[in-house]
Amino acid sequence: MKTIFEKSIQGKRAVQFGKINNKIIKKIDEKFLRKTEIKLPEVSELDIIRHYINLSKLNFSVDTEFYPLGSCTMKYNPKICEKLAMQKEFLNLHPFLSYIDENTVQGALEIIYEISDLLCEITGMEKITTQPYAGAHGELTGVLLMAAYHKNKGNNKKFVIIPDSAHGTNPASAAMAGYSIISIPVDKDGNMDINILKEKINDEVAGIMMTVPSTLGLFENNIKEIIEIAHKYDALMYYDGANLNAILGKLKPGEIGFDIIHINLHKTFSTPHGGGGPGSGVIGVSKKLVDFLPVPIVIKENEKFKLDFNVKNTIGSVASFFGNFQVLLKAFIYIILLGKEGLIAVSEIAVLNANYILAKLKNFYDLPYNRKCMHEFVISAKKQLKNDIRAIDIAKYLIDNKIHPPTIYFPLVVEEAIMIEPTETESKQTLDEFIEIMVKIAELSEKDPDKIKQAPEKTPILRPDETKAARELKLKCDI
Ligand SMILES: *Cc1c(COP(=O)(O)O)cnc(C)c1O
């Protein structure tokens, strides 16, 4: 007798699937076939629910706790962006947009066209490619564009100049594109040392990669002069836009002379990205570089959106799919939701929040550069070192207090660096609680440093040997 389940349409499919399966099994060599039943755990639904709920509680995210991870902009991202980006009309799009009939994906092409337009407006750049999948991928694309520009002009360029406070991906990208790196130290105020720059720059310099504001959370005071110097040598100015959150609606890199910019959409424009989640490293270029952009580009002709493969000196495609479409979509929704005023508020509040914490902590920690900060700032655990308390100990103690540690030991130019980025989405109450704990740590490190050394005490794993943990990954944890 057939069960109700088998009679149902799904049941029919399940039975058919079984038949297909049997056919496939017959083709598999006997020696590869399983001889014994799979040992699946016999557990109830309730046990499963408890297992996964408890596992999920071990996750640390912006949705559960404060996450002031400098350089990463771990802000709260509105759930509505996720929800809209999950519409089946978008989810079911074939990822190879370039290979399907344009008429069937007009909506998706329109979104790519519109987000490109909005990002040009925000950055002051001439044109955008949405292809790169992350900041680092954007950097590589940007430096390849730089190389194509110089090759086309017959320039003989060998070097890229990068300040030593830069993110490691900057020199890595420049090296991948075939350039040698000239590293310039920062001066006593945290700016790139302009005198050393003047000594080192020459006709063989292809470009200067600057992060503005820098990874020290400082605005580069000499930026206009640096751009002038670079352009005198026909060196292109590259803007690492990972910190765009600080200057939204305040500064357009294109308007002050930058030639290339990458934007980490997953940092500034609403995509949760903890644990290496999906990203987008959109690249914007000035007029000089439009003819080298990757293809295809979405254009609008007679109210229809089309893919244009005719870019004169294109460097080719840098992504097999059309970028991370869902991330582009979320950025589009986020920008539309916030509007111009909202975006300006983002940067103003991000900068205000960072300065608020800085002002409250600067008497307790060493401050390498005593200036107003932008959206993030770097303090040092140098003062605590005399009691054998290092940045890592502070980070571990914060974990016990349900706060994600700030970025530590980066940027490399600051000893015992602790890099704090509160973002604009945190309440004053959260900031005050964080300040309170940081002050308590500074006091404890004088009175009872062992208490900090013993942290964390509340996590499933205490202090692993981090080098060993990275080399010998153990992905199973018996909790
Ligand atoms: C995050 C970051 C990058 C790299 O971006 P990814 O998206 O992580 O590849 C580059 N520069 C700076 C300053 C960053 O903070």
Side-chain angles (χ1 to χ4, degrees), residues 70-73 133-139 165-170 211 213-215 240-243 262-267 273 279-281 376 410 419 421:
S71 211
C72 296
T73 310
Y133 291 126
H137 190 196
E139 286 176 38
S165 57
H167 196 271
T169 46
N170 287 189
T211 307
S214 73
T215 58
D240 179 326
N243 294 338
H262 89 250
I263 311 167
N264 305 60
L265 292 188
H266 48 291
K267 291 182 184 171
H273 63 281
S280 170
E376 64 190 0
F410 177 78
M419 185 193 206
E421 180 180 3

Side-chain angles (χ1 to χ4, degrees), residues 173-188:
S173 306
M176 277 181 80
Y179 290 113
S180 298
I181 315 302
I182 299 176
S183 176
I184 307 278
V186 289
D187 64 17
K188 62 174 190 358

Side-chain angles (χ1 to χ4, degrees), residues 66 68 353-368 370 373 376-384 394 398 403 406 418-422 430-443:
F66 185 40
N353 283 356
N355 277 288
Y356 176 66
I357 301 180
L358 174 61
K360 295 275 188 184
L361 293 186
K362 73 181 189 186
N363 292 334
F364 298 91
Y365 292 88
D366 182 78
L367 181 62
N370 194 2
C373 67
E376 64 190 0
F377 61 93
V378 180
I379 52 172
S380 158
K382 241 161 80 179
K383 262 193 198 172
Q384 286 69 32
I394 296 171
L398 285 171
I403 290 172
I418 301 176
M419 185 193 206
I420 298 166
E421 180 180 3
T430 303
L431 303 185
D432 284 336
E433 283 164 8
F434 173 66
I435 291 163
E436 199 180 303
I437 294 166
M438 287 298 285
V439 170
K440 184 176 160 200
I441 293 175
E443 286 167 357

Side-chain angles (χ1 to χ4, degrees), residues 423-435:
T423 81
E424 73 281 7
T425 53
E426 297 295 338
S427 67
K428 180 165 177 295
Q429 187 186 346
T430 303
L431 303 185
D432 284 336
E433 283 164 8
F434 173 66
I435 291 163

Side-chain angles (χ1 to χ4, degrees), residues 366-418:
D366 182 78
L367 181 62
Y369 307 100
N370 194 2
R371 288 168 54 181
K372 265 206 193 111
C373 67
M374 297 295 288
H375 65 308
E376 64 190 0
F377 61 93
V378 180
I379 52 172
S380 158
K382 241 161 80 179
K383 262 193 198 172
Q384 286 69 32
L385 261 189
K386 66 175 190 301
N387 295 313
D388 196 29
I389 296 298
R390 308 186 59 216
I392 183 118
D393 301 315
I394 296 171
K396 298 292 184 192
Y397 193 83
L398 285 171
I399 297 175
D400 264 353
N401 285 278
K402 291 189 164 264
I403 290 172
H404 193 285
T407 300
I408 53 172
Y409 300 109
F410 177 78
L412 304 176
V413 292
V414 174
E415 190 190 340
E416 294 297 325
I418 301 176

